[in-house]
């Protein structure tokens, strides 16, 4: 459904360091830098971080969450630990199983350096 997701940052170098560390736990290569943007390109889509083109400060979405797919609960835990080590803020419940209408999910949530809400998720067998 989606070709890419782009979020804003106020410090591209810090964002690159944060997301390179975080996404390496999901087997994503370091970002490609393109001027005022960085790109993480995978077979399933593109995640990008950009300084706002209009020159205004970047802000996070109120109510928005960006979810990254993980291959296992252990990978979710590594993602969460790497994010915290890189300066991310743990939010909501600790990493773990949540039961929802779509079945069991293993989830972890963080706020990145610019306040964006991000999540790693692994779907557990029912």
């Amino acid at each position: 459904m989606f070709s890419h997701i782009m979020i804003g940052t106020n410090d591209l170098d810090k964002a690159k360091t944060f997301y390179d560390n975080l996404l390496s736990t999901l087997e994503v290569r370091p970002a490609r830098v393109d001027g005022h943007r960085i790109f993480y390109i995978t077979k399933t889509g593109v995640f990008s971080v950009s300084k706002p083109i209009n020159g205004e400060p970047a802000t996070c979405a109120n109510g928005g969450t960006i979810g990254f797919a993980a291959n296992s609960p252990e990978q979710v835990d590594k993602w969460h630990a790497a994010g915290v080590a890189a300066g991310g803020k743990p939010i909501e419940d600790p990493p773990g199983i949540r039961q929802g209408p779509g079945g069991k999910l293993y989830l972890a949530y963080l706020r990145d350096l610019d306040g964006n809400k991000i999540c790693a998720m692994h779907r557990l067998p029912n």
Side-chain angles (χ1 to χ4, degrees):
M1 177 184 288
F2 303 108
S3 64
H4 67 283
I5 295 172
M6 183 176 289
I7 60 172
T9 185
N10 292 303
D11 189 323
L12 196 61
D13 292 332
K14 284 185 179 179
K16 183 177 184 320
T17 299
F18 177 82
Y19 279 106
D20 279 359
N21 288 325
L22 184 70
L23 296 178
S24 72
T25 65
L26 302 178
E27 301 171 12
V28 175
R29 290 178 300 197
R32 258 189 28 222
V33 178
D34 178 18
H36 64 279
R37 301 174 294 193
I38 56 175
F39 292 95
Y40 298 89
I41 300 170
T42 72
K43 289 184 254 182
T44 57
V46 176
F47 176 70
S48 180
V49 182
S50 176
K51 292 195 69 129
I53 295 170
N54 65 3
E56 297 292 325
T59 59
C60 57
N62 185 22
T65 302
I66 297 167
F68 295 98
N71 295 324
S72 67
E74 294 79 18
Q75 197 174 47
V76 171
D77 289 339
K78 284 182 185 177
W79 177 94
H80 190 263
V84 171
K89 303 283 186 259
I91 57 171
E92 300 194 10
D93 292 333
I97 297 173
R98 316 292 200 283
Q99 179 70 46
K104 288 183 187 175
L105 306 173
Y106 194 92
L107 299 167
Y109 290 93
L110 295 170
R111 292 265 180 202
D112 74 3
L113 303 178
D114 290 288
N116 295 293
K117 184 178 178 183
I118 53 178
C119 171
M121 180 191 77
H122 174 69
R123 289 190 187 280
L124 296 166
N126 289 329

